[in-house]
Every structure is written in C-alpha cells, then in structure tokens.
C-alpha cells in the first residue's frame, strides 16, 4: 500500500459524520458545495474521507452560516 491511498466511506458512515439528510447532501453535491460521491457499483456509492474532512474544516473556518430571514 502506498502513501497516496484513499480511505472511502459509505453512506452510513457519512451520515454519522454529517448531520444533514441525504437529500440536502445530494443537493449540495449537485451545486458543487459538497464532495461528489463515487459509484463503486450500480448499488453502492462512497465518498473520499479526506474530501469530506476538508469540507467539514472549510465549514468550520467560514464561521456561522447566515440564518434565513435575518438581516445582515
């Protein structure tokens, strides 16, 4: 195994890490706001753990999200 090996996580693991529903995650993916899923078979999708962790870090660094209906 070489150093550039990737760790992939399944949907169950992703949903345990990210407190969003599947539909929200899918919508974020389609808008380019979340790492894209990788289809490993016709019935199984996975995500690159490093990309998901980077996404979490970027959310942390961007500060609180604006709340709908709140004046800035």
């Amino acid at each position: 195994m070489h150093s550039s090996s990737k760790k992939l996580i399944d949907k169950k693991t992703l949903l345990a890490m990210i407190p969003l529903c599947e539909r929200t995650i899918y919508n974020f993916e389609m808008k380019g706001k979340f790492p894209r899923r990788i289809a490993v078979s016709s019935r199984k999708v996975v995500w690159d753990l490093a990309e998901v962790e980077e996404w979490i870090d970027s959310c942390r660094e961007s500060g609180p999200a604006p709340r709908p209906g709140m004046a800035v």
Side-chain angles (χ1 to χ4, degrees):
M1 202 148 116
H2 50 73
S3 61
S4 66
S5 64
K6 292 183 181 282
K7 180 165 173 48
L8 302 175
I9 56 172
D10 62 10
K11 187 184 298 179
K12 182 178 177 183
T13 305
L14 178 76
L15 294 174
M17 293 175 65
I18 309 293
L20 297 171
C21 70
E22 289 182 48
R23 172 51 70 186
T24 300
I25 291 170
Y26 178 79
N27 287 340
F28 279 8
E29 283 181 72
M30 294 301 103
K31 294 176 182 174
K33 295 180 177 182
F34 193 81
R36 293 297 295 259
R37 64 191 65 204
I38 301 163
V40 292
S41 76
S42 62
R43 298 178 59 101
K44 181 77 170 180
V45 294
V46 295
W47 286 261
D48 182 322
L49 178 60
E51 289 179 5
V52 173
E53 289 174 336
E54 284 176 26
W55 179 83
I56 292 169
D57 289 342
S58 71
C59 289
R60 202 176 277 144
E61 291 166 7
S62 67
R67 292 179 57 192
M70 299 296 287
V72 179

